[in-house]
Amino acid sequence: MSLAQEMFAIAPAMGKANLSASQLKLLSGKSRWIFRVGEAGFPTVPTICITRAAWDALQSERARRDVKLRTHWIACLFKLVDKDGNPPVLVVRTSAATHNGGLMPAKLGISAPANPEDSVDPARPLARAIKNAFDSYGFGQGWTSPRQDDDRGKQIVLVQALADGEIEQFLTRNAVTGALGASPINGGPLPRLPDTIEPLVALLDAKAGRHMVCSVAIKRGQVTFVSARPMQVTAAADLEAAVDRVNRKVWSAQNAVSRVDPTRLAQLLHPRIRSTEGATPIATGLGVSPGAASGIIVFNPEDAARLRARGKHCILVVNETGPADIEGMKAATGILTARGGMSSHAGVIARITGKPCVAGVRTLSVDAAEMVCRIGDREFRSGDRLTIDGSDGSVYLGTLSLAQPHIGGAIGTLLGWSDASRTIAVRTNVETVESANTALSFGAEGIGLARSEHMFFSPERMVALRRMILSEDEEDRSRAVNGLVDFQTGDYSALFSAMKGLPVTVRLFDPPLHEFLPRSDEDIEETAASLGLAVRALRLRLERIAEINPMLGHRGVRLAITYPEILQMQMQAIMAGVRAASEKQSEPVAVEVMVPFVSTASEVAWVRERAHAIAANSGLLRSERVKFSFGTMIELPRACLRAGDIANMVDFISFGTNDLTQTTFGISRDDAPTFLAAYQRKGIYERDPFVTIDEKGVGEMISIAIERGRAANPHLKIGICGEHAGDPASLKFFAGLGVDYVSCSPYRVPVARLTLAQTSA
Amino acid sequence: MSLAQEMFAIAPAMGKANLSASQLKLLSGKSRWIFRVGEAGFPTVPTICITRAAWDALQSERARRDVKLRTHWIACLFKLVDKDGNPPVLVVRTSAATHNGGLMPAKLGISAPANPEDSVDPARPLARAIKNAFDSYGFGQGWTSPRQDDDRGKQIVLVQALADGEIEQFLTRNAVTGALGASPINGGPLPRLPDTIEPLVALLDAKAGRHMVCSVAIKRGQVTFVSARPMQVTAAADLEAAVDRVNRKVWSAQNAVSRVDPTRLAQLLHPRIRSTEGATPIATGLGVSPGAASGIIVFNPEDAARLRARGKHCILVVNETGPADIEGMKAATGILTARGGMSSHAGVIARITGKPCVAGVRTLSVDAAEMVCRIGDREFRSGDRLTIDGSDGSVYLGTLSLAQPHIGGAIGTLLGWSDASRTIAVRTNVETVESANTALSFGAEGIGLARSEHMFFSPERMVALRRMILSEDEEDRSRAVNGLVDFQTGDYSALFSAMKGLPVTVRLFDPPLHEFLPRSDEDIEETAASLGLAVRALRLRLERIAEINPMLGHRGVRLAITYPEILQMQMQAIMAGVRAASEKQSEPVAVEVMVPFVSTASEVAWVRERAHAIAANSGLLRSERVKFSFGTMIELPRACLRAGDIANMVDFISFGTNDLTQTTFGISRDDAPTFLAAYQRKGIYERDPFVTIDEKGVGEMISIAIERGRAANPHLKIGICGEHAGDPASLKFFAGLGVDYVSCSPYRVPVARLTLAQTSA
């Protein structure tokens, strides 16, 4: 394309625009919508555009005192002149593909150049405005790499005839409900608009497929389209709009599925306080980001990251937030600030990240250095618990019970469509009946990871588990282990029943010791009392089994091999649970026993022989009441390399991407906060590898394992059950590797369903 | 070969044995030496042999009442009859390839069979003895796999004529000095032997190439050879004998190099228990630093120093060691700990300082305050005596007699020969001038790993290092860091000077925090005082930087990137050290700066840019006084996978096989003792992967990295600097991968030299 062709009318004053394919490709931002609306025949203000490359060429031609390109430019400007032949007053606008704060606002009221030289002279109004518009693109970032320098030449500036009439702005859809029709912007009043606006609204919505801010000129009830730009609205409004477009046959269902951002879906799934009966708020601020959150108070981002790494909920309590707090806000379950309002840093970031936030609590004061805060007369320290409701701004003492969101309406419709094109199953990581029901309501197709040791997270059961961990010898341990069988049988039976024949993967015990043993003095005293031990004796035992690096210690399959009585008890309880559940339902119980933390095929063989013997002994394997399978977690680099040997012995493997990331990188997630922030700031890591899978390292390990595993056992079923299974970018990578299922936390199930539908399409 | 040919004379009463190639192949154990001696013309008692396959065939032929094979057997037995024609009295002997306890002792005084049937009838003396001899092989183990079943048929039993005369036994070489000549066995008296014994001794030694127990019959000064079997003697005696054989031109130097077992060489370089006869270990832990030590029990560094000052040997007995114990460890003769493993603080320091150490003795508990410890049921107090063997982890009551190592002589000669055929360089892991000199005396060709943080292992320097680690902010840290430059410069300069132009690889700081911070109350109080901090304030700081999994925490390159001032100080000190050393010597200083614990190429790029800038700033890079190179440790799985990217930015890579084994397996070496023993007992691991490299897992990681690294950078130099670099089996594997150098602890340097000579041959 010659540079002369990079200056052209997208909405000529007379006739229709006739763009070449390369010119069509140049259109981005406003230019695109102006062209499309004009092309559809709607009255549109005359508009031409010019690329930066063409403008630069015009300028250097001018320096050479040449006029060839200028002749094209003048001809182009003449496209703005209507049939009466009067040169119009001009407007110069940017037309950036993505909006950024530094862009020049539209420059209105520029008089048409008096002579050809004026049309390119930067000292004259028109050329000056065009130059300023191009310069303002420079405020963005990322225009430095070679590839983007190409793009830079294709940046566009628009010159329009100033529209005749009153300029009005409105949204094409309601910002909250997503309903189609001219709607007010940012809660302002809706301008009076003639009925003839409706076809424009429908036209623009269909062309853009987004909420658009639309500018029109109105003169004597006649509407002329001036410009439009997209506007970010809530995920709920976007979703309602998407479903509405399908209902109006503007989009296919497939279109809607592919155009909704799965990341934003998560924002719709907020918990709320089940009942505030009997609970009085201890303070009230502004609810600036919806949803309720309960958790431990923390005062800095590091503590928030640490708690999150341990799977604990926390509320970040600060006077006000700033850029340094963003990582902490992402890690926290909720945010509480003393200062700021709806448009404060806290509010904006909280809404973007989907975290509940209460801001501007006047009675709150925070002393971050001393790690203490006061709300009214009360003093709170790190470790105390609060509940906040970001929908109405209430703050409650302690932990209130939260009700989980349920899927329906637009989100349900969209997910229903998405399931039609999805080929990879979505399961969930849960171990309680309550969570299992939540996950089922979100569309989970099975349990991919029931961390059996988490079934002991109640005070009574924790005593039983600790008794087992702390036992001194085999006899002691056998007694403790036998005390667990009944609990376990009931738990498994209830979980199997809740899943009604959907597969349930039970991971054998994997308790990293430090997560299950008492630490504080108070906790140690309580534990000693409950175990009938002297405090001093308990401390001695704790000291003896303390580990330097518990993440890499005596856990997972190592526990089963050193203490076979634990494996035996657990397998017996699982089979008893299968029997109990199978007697109450018609579908067979689909149980999958999974061995954690293996690094050699010999470990798998050892456990498999014993697990199979116990399963066979139950007599259930020969019945139709159970579908039994056996597999392993793959969460260590060595297991990836030896996946061929391992695959020969199992029905399935499931990648534990958290531990695999920890060992592949040599990073303890618990301890990473001290350097991870600096790493991202200094550009060492592009992304947090614990959030989005590291394709080049951990990803290659997974891909090696899949290749070797499938080669050795073509029937091998392959899953992903680490946290990455709920991250859209990671899910796309896993889909490319051809896994059979993923398993994520209940709230991420809808995100995974939608993302995997998009990758299959 | 027909079964008839599997019964034949190896020393006929008349004439010479004439064996086919397949018959020669059957000879193993005693049969071999009897044939060789007879063949060489030395008078030898008539001897025939028969394989198990032939014997079994004789037996089944007998059941079938056939006599074809029996005819051959009778003919064979007639070879025992001398020219006077009298049937001799017979002896039946086993002739196993390797000796084991269940073998039948020689059965003497069997009368010759009276008729052909008697020669195969198991109810008769000869056949019964032969049957018993074959049966006794079954007591060994490992005869069950299919391949070994083939071998089973080839087992041999000997039938000899009873020798005429007095039977005497002696060793072919001295059991301690290795000197050639008839010598007493096990300290017994040497029998009176005629001078004519000497040619037999020389002959047998040359044929067998080992210390042999030789049986002869002596009648009227005439010697007849009866039998011989090898005897295991000390490594020192073996070595002296090997060198002596070369001097006598029995072996080539190359022969000697290839026939000495490098594993046994290590025994020569440490004191060892002279004899454990009559001594039973009272406990067993992990032998984490080789050599034996005897001494008085002490519980603290002060007592160790006091005893050392009085020239007394002592064993430091603690639950675990920490930085505060370093002086005590240096003062002690040996170290015994209740907790920790191979890479525990105790293990690392013990190996560096060359102190024997037994760690992780589960039955030991120490009450340092009360100055008492218990091992199992026994109580020990300061002043009681123990002997420990850091090679096998045994702990003995009282003082056992120790043998001291001596270098030079035979070992020096052999290692000199070995260097001629070796192509892979052997360096050492040291950081003090003293250790460097030890390593040089053992033939180290450079330093492959100077762990710079270990240069702070003295009380004064530890205070400076702790001040840096515990600093609260950048300013505080800069001050602490500057306080280290002078120490560092002097240390580096001294180390470079000691190495006289040989390459010195300085690893940038890599202090896992838990190894460098005070833990005991007393140590915390002292540290607080030395840092001018309140104890409470220090405890708060310690708590804040405590890590859950320090192995995977804020260490290595992560420290350099988060605290660039540390990197800057260290690089300045290194370059100042280079300058100082280069002014005192004619050879250029060959310094190699190595970045630890990298997982991404971006980390390497970040450090490289800054390190190179500081090196260039020194002005030394343009001079001839320094050869500077830059590289990384490869000790994480991700670094192996990304070795291609990394290799583009470095001159060399060096594998840290300890950490790579920890992360590939997901095992903390410190915490492994709780399950590693059970794993080996149950056959889950064939070998301890921390002792011998795991070829199928960690080995593949290394091999992937070498392949990718070399492909990206053909000039890449590749080394191994983990502990495996001192293990013969691992060294053979590394040699196969084509590494350029290995680096091990000083005491392992001779082992590596010999092993690598053998693999190159």
Side-chain angles (χ1 to χ4, degrees):
Chain A
M1 183 165 42
S2 78
L3 287 169
Q5 288 177 288
E6 293 192 19
M7 41 187 96
F8 54 97
I10 54 176
M14 288 179 293
K16 279 213 163 191
N18 187 9
L19 269 54
S20 70
S22 3
Q23 285 170 333
L24 278 171
K25 249 192 225 160
L26 290 173
L27 301 183
S28 65
K30 296 177 195 122
S31 61
R32 193 183 182 88
W33 316 122
I34 295 171
F35 168 71
R36 285 284 172 80
V37 169
E39 186 196 32
F42 199 92
T44 301
V45 292
T47 310
I48 64 168
C49 72
I50 181 165
T51 67
R52 188 194 280 263
W55 182 253
D56 288 350
L58 270 178
Q59 291 300 317
S60 50
E61 187 191 79
R62 179 167 173 265
R64 292 197 312 273
R65 298 182 181 275
D66 199 348
V67 297
K68 213 169 124 199
L69 267 183
R70 195 180 72 184
T71 312
H72 285 283
W73 176 233
I74 303 289
C76 194
L77 283 170
F78 267 97
K79 301 274 189 188
L80 301 175
V81 180
D82 66 12
K83 58 181 181 300
D84 62 19
N86 295 330
V89 175
L90 301 177
V91 178
V92 171
R93 295 182 190 275
T94 56
S95 181
T98 51
H99 196 71
N100 79 57
L103 290 171
M104 184 189 83
K107 175 79 181 165
L108 308 178
I110 301 170
S111 46
N115 56 56
E117 171 59 20
D118 275 11
S119 76
V120 293
D121 180 354
R124 310 299 304 164
L126 176 63
R128 185 165 65 231
I130 292 172
K131 177 180 186 299
N132 288 346
F134 277 124
D135 287 354
S136 76
Y137 281 117
F139 284 95
Q141 55 191 137
W143 293 105
T144 47
S145 76
R147 204 195 69 78
Q148 286 171 322
D149 261 356
D150 285 355
D151 293 349
R152 188 172 178 277
K154 294 186 178 157
Q155 288 167 2
I156 276 177
V157 163
L158 304 179
V159 182
Q160 289 188 312
L162 184 65
D164 199 13
E166 200 75 32
I167 299 289
E168 299 289 2
Q169 288 200 320
F170 57 88
L171 256 176
T172 50
R173 282 179 178 270
N174 185 289
V176 176
T177 67
L180 186 68
S183 305
I185 299 167
N186 287 338
L190 181 65
R192 286 249 297 250
L193 300 164
D195 289 350
T196 49
I197 207 79
E198 293 309 329
L200 172 62
V201 167
L203 173 66
L204 194 54
D205 183 70
K207 295 291 181 193
R210 302 190 58 179
H211 277 64
M212 299 295 282
V213 173
C214 181
S215 296
V216 292
I218 299 177
K219 191 178 181 187
R220 290 187 299 271
Q222 285 298 95
V223 177
T224 307
F225 179 63
V226 173
S227 175
R229 60 175 173 81
M231 186 179 203
Q232 176 89 302
V233 292
T234 65
D238 257 350
L239 198 65
E240 294 285 349
V243 171
D244 183 56
R245 282 184 202 109
V246 176
N247 291 339
R248 290 174 186 273
K249 307 209 188 304
V250 168
W251 282 353
S252 67
Q254 192 51 56
N255 261 161
V257 166
S258 68
R259 294 182 65 151
V260 171
D261 179 356
T263 316
R264 304 188 66 220
L265 207 61
Q267 296 178 17
L268 300 178
L269 305 167
H270 297 297
R272 57 188 203 293
I273 295 174
R274 196 183 297 277
S275 160
T276 54
E277 216 169 301
T280 316
I282 55 166
T284 306
L286 297 169
V288 298
S289 180
S294 281
I296 298 167
I297 294 177
V298 296
F299 296 104
N300 57 59
E302 291 74 28
D303 285 346
R306 232 184 312 276
L307 283 170
R308 188 194 158 82
R310 294 189 205 150
K312 295 234 155 71
H313 292 285
C314 64
I315 309 289
L316 180 64
V317 180
V318 290
N319 283 318
E320 59 193 328
T321 67
D325 297 316
I326 289 172
E327 291 304 312
M329 294 176 74
K330 284 187 189 166
T333 312
I335 298 122
L336 178 62
T337 77
R339 291 195 284 273
M342 187 61 80
S343 64
S344 64
H345 181 267
V348 171
I349 302 297
R351 286 193 302 276
I352 290 174
T353 53
K355 302 285 178 183
C357 178
V358 172
V361 176
R362 302 267 148 188
T363 55
L364 166 67
S365 65
V366 181
D367 184 336
E370 290 291 321
M371 310 259 278
V372 59
C373 73
R374 303 182 67 82
I375 301 178
D377 293 335
R378 292 178 210 250
E379 194 175 87
F380 296 88
R381 300 193 161 268
S382 222
D384 291 340
R385 284 163 186 279
L386 289 180
T387 298
I388 61 170
D389 186 339
S391 310
D392 68 1
S394 309
V395 181
Y396 299 91
L397 199 64
T399 306
L400 299 196
S401 162
L402 302 185
Q404 304 309 332
H406 64 100
I407 292 195
I411 191 170
T413 306
L414 184 84
L415 289 173
W417 291 333
S418 80
D419 288 346
S421 62
R422 181 165 53 84
T423 55
I424 295 171
V426 177
R427 298 196 196 173
T428 190
N429 305 343
V430 301
E431 35 281 322
T432 65
V433 170
E434 196 189 347
S435 309
N437 286 330
T438 304
L440 285 171
S441 78
F442 288 169
E445 297 161 308
I447 294 177
L449 178 64
R451 290 151 290 204
S452 54
E453 68 282 359
H454 285 198
M455 295 179 170
F456 290 89
F457 281 159
S458 77
E460 180 191 28
R461 296 177 182 206
M462 190 56 93
V463 170
L465 185 67
R466 286 176 174 173
R467 177 168 288 135
M468 181 185 84
I469 294 175
L470 291 163
S471 55
E472 286 276 88
D473 53 37
E474 200 177 317
E475 197 182 324
D476 201 5
R477 191 159 45 244
S478 283
R479 251 198 316 274
V481 155
N482 287 330
L484 298 177
V485 175
D486 289 345
F487 284 143
Q488 286 272 297
T489 302
D491 288 345
Y492 290 128
S493 155
L495 201 60
F496 297 145
S497 293
M499 296 305 289
K500 302 180 190 68
L502 292 174
V504 177
T505 310
V506 178
R507 183 178 72 182
L508 296 176
F509 275 134
D510 184 13
L513 292 181
H514 67 299
E515 288 180 17
F516 289 84
L517 292 176
R519 264 175 294 186
S520 70
D521 288 352
E522 199 186 332
D523 203 7
I524 289 174
E525 278 165 35
E526 258 176 41
T527 305
S530 66
L531 294 177
L533 278 175
V535 170
R536 193 167 163 276
L538 175 58
R539 279 191 196 280
L540 273 177
R541 287 197 194 178
L542 286 173
E543 214 168 278
R544 201 160 336 127
I545 64 173
E547 295 188 312
I548 296 174
N549 296 291
M551 224 293 293
L552 308 176
H554 192 192
R555 51 173 288 207
V557 67
R558 297 164 193 169
L559 213 58
I561 291 177
T562 48
Y563 302 147
E565 57 275 24
I566 295 180
L567 170 64
Q568 188 175 338
M569 175 282 290
Q570 193 173 14
M571 279 304 303
Q572 279 166 349
I574 289 172
M575 296 317 293
V578 167
R579 182 183 301 282
S582 73
E583 282 165 1
K584 282 180 278 176
Q585 67 186 39
S586 53
E587 312 89 343
V589 174
V591 61
E592 307 183 333
V593 168
M594 183 161 72
V595 192
F597 223 62
V598 303
S599 55
T600 69
S602 53
E603 291 169 318
V604 180
W606 200 95
V607 174
R608 180 188 137 102
E609 186 187 326
R610 281 149 189 87
H612 262 287
I614 295 168
N617 251 342
S618 73
L620 286 164
L621 296 195
R622 286 184 311 271
S623 80
E624 308 258 289
R625 278 148 55 187
V626 61
K627 288 190 282 185
F628 182 86
S629 63
F630 181 83
T632 65
M633 290 275 277
I634 300 283
E635 50 195 327
L636 292 170
R638 196 178 189 284
C640 291
L641 295 178
R642 306 311 302 167
D645 300 348
I646 292 171
N648 277 323
M649 283 183 269
V650 297
D651 305 306
F652 68 93
I653 59 176
S654 183
F655 291 91
T657 53
N658 297 349
D659 275 349
L660 188 57
T661 300
Q662 295 197 86
T663 46
T664 302
F665 273 91
I667 293 182
S668 156
R669 190 173 185 182
D670 284 334
D671 303 311
T674 46
F675 59 88
L676 222 48
Y679 262 47
Q680 288 192 269
R681 211 166 46 239
K682 299 188 182 190
I684 305 286
Y685 288 164
E686 283 168 48
R687 305 200 252 193
D688 180 343
F690 290 105
V691 172
T692 299
I693 196 83
D694 157 53
E695 295 184 16
K696 288 182 173 180
V698 182
E700 188 183 1
M701 289 262 78
I702 296 175
S703 137
I704 288 172
I706 290 180
E707 190 189 308
R708 296 182 181 185
R710 282 252 162 83
N713 175 1
H715 302 294
L716 189 70
K717 198 165 58 176
I718 296 174
I720 304 275
C721 65
E723 298 225 357
H724 297 96
D727 170 64
S730 309
L731 282 163
K732 281 173 194 153
F733 177 73
F734 298 140
L737 295 179
V739 303
D740 298 300
Y741 69 93
V742 303
S743 187
C744 53
S745 65
Y747 292 94
R748 289 266 150 187
V749 166
V751 176
R753 285 166 70 192
L754 180 58
T755 308
L756 293 174
Q758 292 176 347
T759 62
S760 308
Chain B
M1 183 165 46
S2 78
L3 288 169
Q5 287 175 291
E6 291 191 21
M7 43 188 94
F8 54 95
I10 53 178
M14 288 179 292
K16 279 212 164 190
N18 186 10
L19 269 50
S20 70
S22 3
Q23 286 171 333
L24 279 172
K25 250 192 223 159
L26 289 174
L27 300 182
S28 66
K30 297 176 193 120
S31 61
R32 193 182 183 90
W33 317 123
I34 295 171
F35 168 71
R36 286 283 171 81
V37 169
E39 186 194 31
F42 198 92
T44 301
V45 291
T47 310
I48 64 167
C49 73
I50 181 166
T51 66
R52 190 195 280 263
W55 183 252
D56 289 349
L58 270 178
Q59 291 300 316
S60 50
E61 186 190 82
R62 178 166 175 267
R64 291 197 312 275
R65 301 182 178 273
D66 199 350
V67 296
K68 214 168 124 197
L69 268 181
R70 197 182 71 186
T71 311
H72 286 283
W73 176 232
I74 304 287
C76 192
L77 284 170
F78 268 96
K79 302 275 187 185
L80 300 176
V81 180
D82 68 11
K83 60 181 181 300
D84 62 19
N86 295 329
V89 176
L90 302 177
V91 178
V92 171
R93 294 183 192 275
T94 56
S95 182
T98 50
H99 197 72
N100 78 58
L103 290 171
M104 184 189 83
K107 175 78 182 164
L108 309 179
I110 300 170
S111 47
N115 56 57
E117 170 58 21
D118 276 9
S119 74
V120 292
D121 179 356
R124 309 299 306 165
L126 174 63
R128 187 167 61 232
I130 293 172
K131 178 180 184 300
N132 289 345
F134 278 124
D135 287 353
S136 77
Y137 283 118
F139 285 95
Q141 56 192 134
W143 293 105
T144 49
S145 76
R147 204 194 69 77
Q148 286 171 321
D149 261 357
D150 285 357
D151 293 349
R152 188 173 177 277
K154 293 183 180 162
Q155 288 166 3
I156 277 178
V157 164
L158 304 179
V159 183
Q160 291 188 312
L162 184 65
D164 201 13
E166 200 76 29
I167 299 290
E168 299 287 3
Q169 289 200 321
F170 56 89
L171 256 175
T172 49
R173 283 179 179 270
N174 185 290
V176 176
T177 66
L180 187 69
S183 305
I185 300 167
N186 288 337
L190 182 65
R192 287 250 298 253
L193 299 164
D195 288 351
T196 51
I197 207 76
E198 294 309 330
L200 172 62
V201 168
L203 174 66
L204 193 54
D205 183 70
K207 295 292 181 192
R210 304 191 56 179
H211 277 63
M212 300 294 282
V213 174
C214 181
S215 297
V216 294
I218 301 175
K219 190 175 179 187
R220 291 185 298 270
Q222 285 298 95
V223 177
T224 308
F225 178 64
V226 174
S227 175
R229 60 176 172 82
M231 187 180 206
Q232 177 87 298
V233 291
T234 64
D238 257 350
L239 198 65
E240 295 286 349
V243 170
D244 183 57
R245 284 184 202 109
V246 177
N247 292 340
R248 290 172 185 273
K249 306 203 190 304
V250 168
W251 283 353
S252 66
Q254 193 50 58
N255 260 163
V257 165
S258 66
R259 293 182 64 150
V260 172
D261 178 358
T263 314
R264 303 189 68 221
L265 207 61
Q267 296 174 15
L268 300 178
L269 305 169
H270 293 286
R272 57 192 194 287
I273 296 173
R274 202 179 295 277
S275 160
T276 55
E277 216 168 302
T280 315
I282 55 164
T284 306
L286 297 167
V288 298
S289 181
S294 281
I296 299 167
I297 294 177
V298 295
F299 297 104
N300 56 60
E302 292 72 22
D303 286 350
R306 232 184 320 273
L307 283 169
R308 187 190 162 84
R310 290 188 218 149
K312 293 232 154 72
H313 291 287
C314 65
I315 308 289
L316 180 64
V317 180
V318 290
N319 282 318
E320 59 192 330
T321 67
D325 299 307
I326 288 168
E327 291 306 312
M329 294 174 74
K330 286 186 187 165
T333 313
I335 298 117
L336 177 62
T337 78
R339 289 196 286 273
M342 190 60 82
S343 65
S344 63
H345 181 268
V348 171
I349 303 300
R351 287 194 301 277
I352 290 170
T353 53
K355 302 286 178 185
C357 177
V358 173
V361 175
R362 299 265 145 192
T363 55
L364 166 67
S365 64
V366 182
D367 187 341
E370 292 292 323
M371 308 261 281
V372 59
C373 72
R374 302 184 66 83
I375 300 179
D377 291 333
R378 292 180 211 248
E379 199 173 86
F380 296 87
R381 300 195 163 270
S382 223
D384 292 335
R385 283 165 184 279
L386 289 180
T387 298
I388 62 171
D389 188 340
S391 310
D392 68 2
S394 308
V395 181
Y396 299 89
L397 201 63
T399 306
L400 300 194
S401 164
L402 303 184
Q404 296 305 323
H406 61 102
I407 314 280
I411 190 168
T413 307
L414 183 84
L415 288 172
W417 292 332
S418 81
D419 288 347
S421 62
R422 183 165 51 85
T423 55
I424 295 171
V426 177
R427 300 195 194 174
T428 190
N429 305 343
V430 301
E431 36 281 323
T432 66
V433 170
E434 195 188 347
S435 308
N437 286 331
T438 305
L440 285 170
S441 79
F442 287 168
E445 297 161 308
I447 293 178
L449 178 64
R451 289 151 291 204
S452 54
E453 69 282 359
H454 286 191
M455 295 178 171
F456 290 90
F457 283 158
S458 78
E460 182 190 29
R461 297 179 181 204
M462 191 55 87
V463 169
L465 185 67
R466 286 175 174 175
R467 177 168 287 133
M468 181 185 85
I469 294 175
L470 291 164
S471 55
E472 286 275 271
D473 52 38
E474 200 175 319
E475 197 184 325
D476 200 5
R477 192 160 44 244
S478 282
R479 253 198 316 274
V481 155
N482 288 330
L484 299 177
V485 176
D486 289 347
F487 285 142
Q488 286 272 296
T489 301
D491 289 343
Y492 290 129
S493 155
L495 200 59
F496 296 145
S497 294
M499 295 306 290
K500 300 181 189 68
L502 292 174
V504 177
T505 309
V506 178
R507 182 179 71 183
L508 296 176
F509 276 134
D510 183 15
L513 293 181
H514 66 299
E515 287 181 19
F516 289 84
L517 292 175
R519 265 176 295 184
S520 71
D521 289 350
E522 200 186 332
D523 202 6
I524 289 173
E525 278 165 35
E526 259 177 41
T527 305
S530 66
L531 294 177
L533 276 175
V535 170
R536 193 171 161 272
L538 175 59
R539 279 189 195 278
L540 272 177
R541 288 197 195 180
L542 286 173
E543 217 166 276
R544 207 166 322 137
I545 65 173
E547 294 188 314
I548 296 175
N549 296 291
M551 224 292 293
L552 308 176
H554 193 191
R555 50 173 289 206
V557 67
R558 297 164 193 169
L559 213 58
I561 290 177
T562 46
Y563 303 147
E565 58 274 24
I566 295 179
L567 170 64
Q568 188 175 339
M569 174 282 290
Q570 193 173 14
M571 278 304 303
Q572 279 165 349
I574 289 171
M575 296 317 293
V578 167
R579 181 182 304 281
S582 73
E583 282 164 2
K584 284 178 280 178
Q585 67 186 37
S586 53
E587 312 89 342
V589 175
V591 61
E592 307 183 334
V593 169
M594 181 160 72
V595 193
F597 223 63
V598 302
S599 54
T600 69
S602 53
E603 291 169 318
V604 180
W606 199 96
V607 174
R608 180 187 137 102
E609 186 188 326
R610 283 149 188 87
H612 262 287
I614 295 168
N617 251 344
S618 73
L620 285 164
L621 296 196
R622 287 182 312 269
S623 81
E624 308 256 288
R625 279 150 52 189
V626 61
K627 289 189 281 188
F628 181 87
S629 62
F630 180 84
T632 65
M633 291 274 277
I634 301 283
E635 51 195 327
L636 293 170
R638 197 180 188 285
C640 291
L641 295 178
R642 307 311 302 166
D645 300 348
I646 291 170
N648 278 324
M649 285 183 268
V650 296
D651 305 306
F652 68 93
I653 58 176
S654 183
F655 291 92
T657 53
N658 296 349
D659 275 349
L660 188 56
T661 300
Q662 295 199 85
T663 46
T664 302
F665 272 91
I667 293 182
S668 159
R669 195 171 186 182
D670 282 333
D671 302 311
T674 46
F675 59 89
L676 223 48
Y679 262 48
Q680 288 190 270
R681 209 168 45 238
K682 299 187 182 192
I684 304 288
Y685 289 165
E686 282 168 49
R687 303 201 253 193
D688 181 344
F690 291 104
V691 173
T692 299
I693 196 84
D694 158 52
E695 296 184 16
K696 289 183 172 180
V698 182
E700 188 184 1
M701 289 263 73
I702 295 174
S703 138
I704 288 172
I706 290 180
E707 190 190 308
R708 297 184 180 183
R710 282 252 161 83
N713 176 0
H715 302 295
L716 188 70
K717 199 164 59 177
I718 296 174
I720 304 274
C721 64
E723 300 252 338
H724 297 95
D727 168 65
S730 309
L731 282 162
K732 282 174 192 152
F733 177 73
F734 299 140
L737 295 179
V739 303
D740 298 301
Y741 70 94
V742 303
S743 187
C744 53
S745 64
Y747 290 93
R748 287 266 152 186
V749 166
V751 176
R753 285 167 70 193
L754 180 57
T755 307
L756 293 174
Q758 292 177 346
T759 64
S760 308

